[in-house]
Amino acid sequence: MSTPSATRAAAARGRYLADLAAGPGRFLMPRSPDCPWCGSQRLECRVRTRDWAQGKPGEFTLDRCGACGHVFQNPRLNEAGLAFYYRDFYDGLGAETTGRMFQGGGSVRRFRSSVAALTAHAVPLTWLDVGTAYGHFPAAARGLLPETEFDGLDMGEAVLDAERAGRVAHAFRGFLAELAPTELAGRYDVVSMFHYLEHTRDPRRELAAARTALRPGGHLLIEVPDPESLFGRLLGRYWLPWFQPQHLHFVPWSNMRAELSRTGFTVLDVRRGHAHVPADLVAACWFLLTRVLPREDMPWDERPPGRVARLVRGGGVLAAVPALVAAYGMDRLFAPLARRTAWANAYRVIARRED
């Protein structure tokens, strides 16, 4: 008897196999010879890795600029590639798993910490959360700011679900850079971007769009992965924040500070550890496990796994539970130290829009 997930995978298999008929290489643009941040040609391979989260085919390279430290996907996904690798992650087959990830208690605590950091500078009446997905941040923040109206923006259908569920007052579906000059200009006291900029094709354009959406004196709150984290060096291709192929750009905090100042912001606070997400070791263990065990039934695989493969996978996952629990415990135990050192895997910036 097939499971509901196997039935959904079977229904989607034809479309995925048609997309992959010419190979995953068709989803990549030509390799860039220079850094998109500073133009330098002093590029070096930082890491080569795979889509560990979904297991879709393809290998992806992140280059590091030797001049400014910017890390970026090279070659980068084209439009068809973005559509292919985002499909069934935030909605469809992967909606339930992704929703559980953002609803976890750790995310709620981190969201509330971010609100507390922002309200040390201002108490907003209007707040736009960019890249909100299902609106889990506004839902967590509303308890601390009951008088604030939260809107959400995302390019997927999840933001419409967030509006229907009452997590956001107004849902905007699309791209910030396109909507800011028309529908959103000057509307908000705060714009937040939680792990959003690394997904965008042009982070500088997004920062300028955020300034447009803010009122004079409004605040921008950003959290992004820190490409200088020591965890990234230790875990290499298995480091969770590389998150290929969805993450396109990794901006070092010094570059972010300089760009915000150039765009018309005053940087009020940069904290390299306060946005740390304690999941590096457990995620790396899981990625290693998915590499050695038979795969789940996924529609981008030509043939679904047989009964023996399913049994081997189930037994392997059960056998690995103690190691996963131990890695999770080590992440939690090490988190206070990581937040105070270069091991932190993310940083937070708060900036004020100036006229």
Side-chain angles (χ1 to χ4, degrees):
M1 179 181 294
S2 64
T3 63
S5 60
T7 301
R8 291 194 296 268
R13 183 163 281 114
R15 182 184 179 190
Y16 272 106
L17 296 183
D19 287 340
L20 288 167
R26 77 178 187 88
F27 296 129
L28 296 172
M29 300 171 65
R31 184 180 182 279
S32 173
D34 47 40
C35 171
W37 196 264
C38 73
S40 171
Q41 294 190 343
R42 292 169 51 194
L43 303 183
E44 59 186 13
C45 176
R46 179 65 182 81
V47 68
R48 287 190 178 91
T49 187
R50 293 164 47 187
D51 177 2
W52 298 115
Q54 287 186 291
K56 290 181 178 178
E59 184 176 73
F60 308 96
T61 300
L62 293 170
D63 281 350
R64 181 184 182 276
C65 176
C68 73
H70 187 77
V71 177
F72 63 104
Q73 187 184 86
N74 194 22
R76 200 185 74 190
L77 290 178
N78 55 29
E79 292 285 349
L82 289 168
F84 177 84
Y85 287 103
Y86 270 89
R87 190 192 311 160
D88 286 313
F89 187 82
Y90 294 98
D91 48 24
L93 292 171
E96 185 177 349
T97 301
T98 304
R100 286 199 302 267
M101 179 174 63
F102 286 109
Q103 284 180 305
S107 295
V108 172
R109 287 191 293 272
R110 182 167 52 86
F111 287 154
R112 290 176 176 169
S113 171
S114 300
V115 171
L118 187 282
T119 53
H121 302 279
V123 179
L125 294 178
T126 55
W127 188 314
L128 176 67
D129 187 38
V130 181
T132 196
Y134 289 94
H136 295 304
F137 166 71
R142 188 174 292 113
L144 300 176
L145 295 171
E147 303 301 319
T148 303
E149 181 175 272
F150 288 91
D151 293 345
L153 183 150
D154 210 300
M155 67 178 194
E157 295 182 4
V159 69
L160 304 179
D161 291 335
E163 184 180 50
R164 286 190 286 266
R167 299 189 190 101
V168 299
H170 302 97
F172 298 95
R173 186 178 181 188
F175 296 96
L176 178 63
E178 296 173 0
L179 295 175
T182 53
E183 297 185 49
L184 307 177
R187 288 181 55 165
Y188 294 99
D189 298 321
V190 174
V191 171
S192 56
M193 297 175 168
F194 294 103
H195 291 268
Y196 165 78
L197 279 177
E198 62 267 30
H199 291 262
T200 65
R201 289 172 289 183
D202 187 348
R204 282 186 163 127
R205 189 182 180 206
E206 300 296 325
L207 295 176
R211 186 181 188 279
T212 299
L214 285 167
R215 297 186 177 112
H219 291 76
L220 175 62
L221 171 60
I222 298 170
E223 292 185 10
V224 290
D226 188 346
E228 298 172 327
S229 169
L230 294 180
F231 264 124
R233 298 181 185 180
L234 173 68
L235 300 175
R237 66 197 312 234
Y238 301 107
W239 190 46
L240 175 62
W242 293 139
F243 204 68
Q244 289 302 289
Q246 295 193 20
H247 287 182
L248 307 180
H249 292 278
F250 298 82
V251 185
W253 72 272
S254 55
N255 288 4
M256 183 73 75
R257 180 197 293 270
E259 182 62 21
L260 285 168
S261 298
R262 190 192 68 81
T263 306
F265 288 95
T266 295
V267 176
L268 304 177
D269 192 20
V270 178
R271 301 294 177 97
R272 298 188 68 177
H274 285 60
H276 176 72
V277 181
D280 302 273
L281 298 176
V282 69
C285 285
W286 178 252
F287 294 160
L288 281 167
L289 186 64
T290 60
R291 180 175 182 177
V292 300
L293 289 179
R295 297 164 62 91
E296 293 182 272
D297 186 4
M298 294 299 182
W300 39 89
D301 293 327
E302 187 172 356
R303 294 181 180 177
R307 183 173 179 272
V308 173
R310 294 196 302 269
L311 290 173
V312 170
R313 179 178 177 82
V317 171
L318 285 175
V321 166
L324 292 169
V325 171
Y328 176 83
M330 290 175 65
D331 277 325
R332 296 287 169 170
L333 186 66
F334 191 63
L337 177 62
R339 291 189 176 101
R340 294 193 296 269
T341 64
W343 288 93
N345 58 24
Y347 65 87
R348 175 195 298 152
V349 180
I350 298 174
R352 182 179 64 237
R353 174 190 162 166
E354 307 294 355
D355 285 339

